[in-house]
Amino acid sequence: MHKYNDLIPIYEWLPSFNKNKLLIIAGPCSIETEYDTINIFKEIKNTNIVDIIRAGIWKPRTKPGSFEGSGIEGLKWLNKAKDIYNMPIAIEVANASHVKEAIKYNVDIIWIGARTTVNPFSMQEIADVLNGIDIPVMIKNPVNPDLDLWIGGIERIYNAGIKKIAAIHRGFSLKDNTPFRNMPLFDIVNKLSDKIPNLPIICDPSHIAGNSNLISFIAQKSIEYNKTDGLMIECHSNPEKAWTDAKQQITPKMLLNIINAIKKYSDNDDFIEINVLRDKINNIDYDLLNKIAKRMQLSKLVGKYKKHNKISIQQPDYWKEMLSKKIQYSNTLNLNENFIKIIMQMIHSESVEIQKYNI
Ligand code: PEP
Ligand code: MN
C-alpha cells in the first residue's frame, strides 16, 4: 500500500462532522479569562456553523514580555466550556509536555504551529510522545516556503502512527510589500496535494490576512485555488479588546456572514443580499490591486531596460496606440470611455513616475 493511503478523511475524525460540508474551526487566538471562554463558546455554538472550537493556550510570541497564554489554567476553563456546550476543541501544541496536557484535559484535536513545524527536533519530540495515541493532528505550514520541510513534519507525525492528519495553510513570512501578514502560496498547497492526494487541507485565512477585512477574500481564494476541506478562523466576542491578534479576529456574527457568503458563491446562487454583494465587490477590488501591483513591477523592468538601452521613458506614439486599443476594447464591455481614459492615464503616469524615480 502506498504511504499515506491509509490517512483517514477529515469527516470521519469525529462523529459530529458532516461529509458534505466545509469543516469550520473557529475560536479565539488566545484563551484569556474563564468568563470570556464560556462566553465565546456560547456565541460560537449559537452560530450553528462551527464544528470545532480552536483556542490558543500557549502562545508563541515574537518578543518576550507580552501575554504568553493562560497555560494549564486556561485548559481547565476550556474543558469546562467544552462540557457545557458539547463542542469539540482544538489547541496548539509546541512540545511534548503540551501534548501530554492536551490529552489529560480531553482535547479532541491538536495542531502544530508554524514556528514549530519549522524545527525538525520539535516535530520529532512531538511525534515521539504521540506514538500509540489516537488523536487527530493538524500541521501548519512552516514559516518559510519550504514544502519539503512541511512534508517532513507531516511524515514524522505519520510515522508515529497517526492516521488523522491535516495540513493547515497559514501563509508564509515573506518580507515583501504584500497586503498580507503572511503571504498565501496556493501553488505550494497544490504541490502538497499532488504529493499526498488524500491529505485534508485547511486554510487559516486569519493568519494569512492579519486583518479582519481580508478574511473572506482569502477564504474564497483558497476554495477556488486549492482542494480546501475546511477553514480555521479566529473568532473573539470583542476583537478590538483581544489580548493577541486583535486586528485579525472577527466576531461570531461576522463569521456567520462570511461563511454564508462563501456558501452562496460556491452554490452559484444569485441570492441578492447586500453583504454578499459587498464581499464580492471587495474581492474584485483586491484582485484589481494585486493586478496593479504586478503591472507596476513589470513597468519597473521596462524602466530598467529603457535605462540600460538609453531609450527615453516617454514613448508617446506607442502610448497613444495602446490607449486607443484599450478604449476600443472597453467599448465592447460597455464601459464609459472617459472613465477608462482617466484610469489608464493615471496608471500610465504612475508607471512613468516609477520608471523615473524608482529604479
Ligand atoms: C495561532 O493559530 O494562533 C498561531 C499562533 O498561528 P501560527 O502558528 O500560524 O502563527
Ligand atoms: Mn493568532
Side-chain angles (χ1 to χ4, degrees), residues 30-46:
S30 302
I31 284 296
E32 296 168 1
T33 66
E34 180 171 3
Y35 176 84
D36 291 332
T37 306
I38 305 284
N39 200 39
I40 189 71
F41 267 68
K42 184 173 84 194
E43 291 179 13
I44 288 179
K45 174 103 187 179
N46 282 342

Side-chain angles (χ1 to χ4, degrees), residues 265-312:
Y265 294 119
S266 48
D267 290 351
N268 248 339
D269 194 335
D270 281 338
F271 186 73
I272 307 287
E273 195 207 286
I274 183 92
N275 287 333
V276 176
L277 295 174
R278 281 181 170 156
D279 269 354
K280 287 187 180 187
I281 287 176
N282 282 327
N283 289 353
I284 289 174
D285 285 349
Y286 288 119
D287 275 343
L288 282 174
L289 293 174
N290 282 326
K291 290 267 193 288
I292 290 174
K294 275 204 186 113
R295 192 193 190 283
M296 293 305 164
Q297 288 297 336
L298 289 172
S299 170
K300 249 187 197 175
L301 292 180
V302 172
K304 274 193 187 142
Y305 180 91
K306 285 177 179 164
K307 195 170 171 183
H308 186 76
N309 292 287
K310 303 200 167 44
I311 301 173
S312 79

Side-chain angles (χ1 to χ4, degrees), residues 70-294:
S70 44
I72 304 289
E73 206 56 27
L75 262 180
K76 292 182 186 159
W77 304 330
L78 205 52
N79 215 248
K80 190 169 165 186
K82 170 186 155 138
D83 282 347
I84 301 173
Y85 293 103
N86 191 24
M87 291 286 295
I89 53 175
I91 69 164
E92 175 179 347
V93 296
N95 58 38
S97 93
H98 293 167
V99 176
K100 288 182 193 151
E101 297 299 345
I103 308 280
K104 188 167 143 196
Y105 285 94
N106 299 316
V107 167
D108 299 278
I109 295 174
I110 54 176
W111 85 83
I112 296 168
R115 294 167 192 80
T116 309
T117 311
V118 85
N119 183 347
F121 291 120
S122 304
M123 291 306 286
Q124 194 55 50
E125 176 189 320
I126 293 171
D128 288 343
V129 73
L130 281 170
N131 215 310
I133 295 174
D134 178 23
I135 186 167
V137 182
M138 306 189 292
I139 301 159
K140 287 200 174 189
N141 63 259
V143 279
N144 55 330
D146 183 339
L147 177 59
D148 283 337
L149 192 59
W150 197 1
I151 293 178
I154 292 166
E155 193 168 335
R156 286 174 200 277
I157 302 300
Y158 179 82
N159 289 347
I162 303 284
K163 300 286 185 269
K164 294 171 187 161
I165 301 181
I168 304 179
H169 176 210
R170 52 76 82 190
F172 299 85
S173 292
L174 301 177
K175 292 288 169 233
D176 185 19
N177 286 333
T178 79
F180 309 111
R181 178 177 176 191
N182 293 295
M183 187 67 180
L185 295 176
F186 299 107
D187 278 356
I188 289 198
V189 180
N190 282 332
K191 284 187 186 134
L192 177 62
S193 292
D194 286 344
K195 294 204 169 177
I196 315 179
N198 52 343
L199 178 71
I201 303 288
I202 309 280
C203 176
D204 170 352
S206 304
H207 289 89
I208 291 175
N211 182 322
S212 55
N213 294 328
L214 289 169
I215 288 173
S216 82
F217 172 71
I218 295 296
Q220 190 58 41
K221 289 289 162 220
S222 168
I223 290 161
E224 283 169 23
Y225 296 159
N226 294 145
K227 166 195 98 64
T228 302
D229 299 281
L231 297 171
M232 183 196 247
I233 298 182
E234 284 192 339
C235 221
H236 192 282
S237 311
N238 190 355
E240 282 160 42
K241 294 272 159 60
W243 296 0
T244 54
D245 286 350
K247 276 204 294 203
Q248 72 194 34
Q249 301 208 60
I250 56 172
T251 62
K253 195 161 171 252
M254 290 157 81
L255 176 77
L256 194 56
N257 284 337
I258 288 177
I259 303 299
N260 284 338
I262 285 171
K263 192 171 156 279
K264 287 188 180 121
Y265 294 119
S266 48
D267 290 351
N268 248 339
D269 194 335
D270 281 338
F271 186 73
I272 307 287
E273 195 207 286
I274 183 92
N275 287 333
V276 176
L277 295 174
R278 281 181 170 156
D279 269 354
K280 287 187 180 187
I281 287 176
N282 282 327
N283 289 353
I284 289 174
D285 285 349
Y286 288 119
D287 275 343
L288 282 174
L289 293 174
N290 282 326
K291 290 267 193 288
I292 290 174
K294 275 204 186 113

